[in-house]
């Protein structure tokens, strides 16, 4: 009798342990600005992450996947760090993801290192981010990677004569990267940069800066502003009649992001930018993605912020499949290194050494299509371009 009870007790314990394991979800702590000046980034990223789950289910390798979304407001690194800490300590997340802006990714990096939890950066773009923790993997882009091709295009193209330029960048990590790489590439190819101007990171007023550009009268103005600020730049550019002065507006695709194109006026037409994603990218994978994204989000057009998060979820799902349901953070990280797949943006790969994204960078022109809608139409490409650094 006593023996039977013991066995029954052991069986009960075993059953409880098994149930506890099966019921333990795989948790992804997704930190992104949903409020404040960069809320549009969070809106896109959350839509991208949710669409991936909607299409691929919430069970991977026999484990239920739980997406925990946290709004960090976008401007306080200390807030992002505290949220990352809470997600790791209290929620015991298996992966951290998101990170809308560079200072926020920098702030959370030590938490990922201490907790040995992979940190998938789906939005921020300063080159050095991947060096801040061996647990960081990036699915967005780097500013040197997206800037070098437009700087080269400015000098190499046969249609528009661009001998002089002024740079205008947001005054923080990605802007400094963009400025440095633009000046270097453009100058090496014989161009002359007349002046480098920096605007505040959040809520800038571009009017005085653009007046200065008008006075300098360069052949081109190169702009990097973070996602969400492009409309304001274009409005001021138009109001000051810079195009009539013969100043060509060029930049990285952050300025003319896809979800803003419908609300930008025709002043956007003709602007040449380089970037890793356009909603008009011509592939079956992208057409299906853009359609599904719009259907799930009241017609919203997918932008590079949505794609970064969508691909971030793919990376996490595939790593979990490959490393198995009981994988540690280190095992998940190992599975992510070297992963390659077809994204809506084209083929992409995670460089196993740097943990950074390798991808095509396209040169695009803003055009009106036959259906009357404005898109960034890709016309040239630098294939599988690694971050060149600064
Ligand atoms: C960053 C880079 C942020 C590019 C962006 O939008 C962007 C960053 C919020 O590294 O902070 O478009």
């Amino acid at each position: 009798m006593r023996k039977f009870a013991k066995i029954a007790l052991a069986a009960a314990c075993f059953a409880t342990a098994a149930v506890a394991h099966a019921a333990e979800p795989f948790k992804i702590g997704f930190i992104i600005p949903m409020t404040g000046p960069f809320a549009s980034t969070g809106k896109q990223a959350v839509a991208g992450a949710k669409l991936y789950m909607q299409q691929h289910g919430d069970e991977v390798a026999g484990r239920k996947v739980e997406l925990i979304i946290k709004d960090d407001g976008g401007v306080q690194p200390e807030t992002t760090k505290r949220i990352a800490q809470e997600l790791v300590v209290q929620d015991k997340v298996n992966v951290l993801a998101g990170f809308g802006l560079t200072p926020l990714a920098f702030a959370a990096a030590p938490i990922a290192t201490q907790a040995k939890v992979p940190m998938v950066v789906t939005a921020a773009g300063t080159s050095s981010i991947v060096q801040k923790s061996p647990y960081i993997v990036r699915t967005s882009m780097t500013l040197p990677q997206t800037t070098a091709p437009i700087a080269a295009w400015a000098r190499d193209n046969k249609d528009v004569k661009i001998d002089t330029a002024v740079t205008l960048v947001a005054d923080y990590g990605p802007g400094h990267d963009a400025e440095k790489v633009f000046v270097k590439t453009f100058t090496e190819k014989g161009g002359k940069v007349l002046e480098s101007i920096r605007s505040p990171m959040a809520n800038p007023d571009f009017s005085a800066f653009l007046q200065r550009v008008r006075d300098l009268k360069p052949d081109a103005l190169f702009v990097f502003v973070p996602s969400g600020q492009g409309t304001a730049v274009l409005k001021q550019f138009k109001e000051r009649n810079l195009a009539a002065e013969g100043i060509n507006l060029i930049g990285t695709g952050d300025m003319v992001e896809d979800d803003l194109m419908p609300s930008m006026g025709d002043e956007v037409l003709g602007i040449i930018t380089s970037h890793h994603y356009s909603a008009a990218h011509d592939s079956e994978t992208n057409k299906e993605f853009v359609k599904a994204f719009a259907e799930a989000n009241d017609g919203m057009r997918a932008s590079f912020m949505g794609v970064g998060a969508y691909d971030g979820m793919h990376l996490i799902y595939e790593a979990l499949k490959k490393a198995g349901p009981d994988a540690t953070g280190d095992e998940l990280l190992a599975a992510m290194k070297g992963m390659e797949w077809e994204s809506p943006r084209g083929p992409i790969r995670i460089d196993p050494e740097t943990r950074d994204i390798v991808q095509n960078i396209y040169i695009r022109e803003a055009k009106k299509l036959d259906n009357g809608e404005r898109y960034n139409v890709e016309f040239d490409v630098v294939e599988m371009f690694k971050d060149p650094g600064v």
Side-chain angles (χ1 to χ4, degrees):
M1 185 64 197
R2 220 143 125 235
K3 195 175 173 195
F4 174 76
K6 243 188 196 165
I7 290 167
L9 185 68
C13 285
F14 180 74
T16 315
V19 167
H21 173 78
E24 189 71 19
F26 182 89
K27 293 181 186 166
I28 302 166
F30 199 89
I31 313 175
I32 205 83
M34 300 293 293
T35 54
F38 302 103
S40 62
T41 290
K43 193 175 174 198
Q44 274 283 331
V46 167
K50 284 189 171 168
L51 176 64
Y52 191 87
M53 289 189 77
Q54 183 192 315
Q55 292 177 334
H56 297 84
D58 63 353
E59 204 183 292
V60 182
R63 248 175 117 175
K64 195 166 168 60
V65 175
E66 192 183 318
L67 182 66
I68 305 173
I69 296 164
K70 297 281 183 191
D71 172 19
D72 64 2
V75 286
Q76 289 288 347
E78 282 311 309
T79 305
T80 309
K81 187 174 184 178
R82 177 182 49 74
I83 294 171
Q85 185 122 36
E86 284 168 9
L87 283 167
V88 161
V89 174
Q90 284 158 30
D91 297 291
K92 301 201 168 27
V93 296
N94 302 87
V95 175
L96 288 166
F99 305 101
L101 293 105
T102 292
L104 314 176
F106 281 174
I111 306 290
T113 307
Q114 283 158 24
K116 296 185 189 297
V117 160
M119 171 169 157
V120 179
V121 174
T122 76
T126 298
S127 175
S128 64
I129 285 177
V130 287
Q131 294 161 28
K132 301 295 176 189
S133 166
Y135 287 86
I136 292 179
V137 182
R138 172 154 45 196
T139 62
S140 44
M141 73 289 159
T142 85
L143 263 298
Q145 185 183 47
T146 56
T147 299
I150 188 68
W153 177 88
R155 294 298 300 153
D156 296 343
N157 90 88
K158 301 278 175 281
D159 305 320
V160 197
K161 189 172 141 325
I162 303 179
D163 293 332
T164 57
V166 168
T167 60
L168 170 60
V169 303
D171 191 6
Y172 75 115
H176 299 167
D177 276 11
E179 180 189 285
K180 221 169 179 174
V181 170
F182 185 88
V183 170
K184 181 169 178 281
T185 313
F186 190 74
T187 309
E188 274 174 8
K189 286 181 171 287
K192 188 170 176 351
V193 175
L194 305 179
E195 199 161 301
S196 288
I197 302 171
R198 296 177 175 185
S199 54
M201 181 185 115
N203 305 311
D205 177 359
F206 296 104
S207 52
F209 303 126
L210 291 179
Q211 183 55 48
R212 176 75 188 139
V213 174
R214 196 172 196 273
D215 297 342
L216 289 163
K217 232 169 167 266
D219 294 330
L221 170 64
F222 166 83
V223 173
F224 162 74
V225 285
S227 178
Q229 295 182 0
T231 311
V233 174
L234 257 72
K235 189 163 166 277
Q236 290 291 335
F237 191 86
K238 187 187 175 194
E239 277 175 18
R240 304 212 163 246
N241 260 317
L242 295 190
E245 294 292 317
I247 302 169
N248 295 284
L249 183 56
I250 59 175
T252 59
D254 309 77
M255 173 173 58
V256 288
E257 56 181 327
D258 291 284
D259 56 343
L260 296 181
M261 292 292 278
S263 62
M264 283 174 170
D266 279 352
E267 62 265 26
V268 76
L269 301 178
I271 293 179
I272 313 273
T273 52
S274 54
H275 226 207
H276 53 296
Y277 180 68
S278 165
H281 178 66
D282 192 10
S283 75
E284 276 316 305
T285 305
N286 186 50
K287 280 184 189 137
E288 282 169 28
F289 168 75
V290 169
K291 186 164 174 279
F293 192 95
E295 276 169 13
N297 296 285
D298 283 331
M300 180 165 65
R301 196 186 286 183
S303 84
F304 68 102
M305 288 299 184
V307 173
Y310 186 82
D311 285 332
M313 291 298 284
H314 178 87
L315 181 67
I316 296 165
Y317 267 48
E318 290 303 310
L320 180 55
K321 276 187 206 167
K322 195 169 155 194
D326 299 316
T328 62
D330 284 295
E331 287 163 349
L332 288 167
L333 185 73
M336 289 176 181
K337 293 180 184 176
M339 191 94 77
E340 48 190 325
W341 69 99
E342 161 92 11
S343 153
R345 63 186 110 172
I348 61 175
R349 179 171 70 234
I350 302 298
D351 185 312
E353 264 85 56
T354 61
R355 292 162 277 103
D356 218 340
I357 186 156
V358 183
Q359 59 189 338
N360 293 348
I361 301 298
Y362 307 89
I363 313 287
R364 318 95 47 85
E365 177 174 353
K367 284 188 168 173
K368 198 178 264 185
L369 303 187
D370 292 342
N371 63 6
E373 292 178 5
R374 292 174 287 261
Y375 279 92
N376 295 299
V377 178
E378 297 167 349
F379 64 89
D380 204 355
V381 60
V382 182
E383 281 178 4
M384 294 313 264
F385 189 43
K386 282 190 189 191
D387 173 45
V390 286

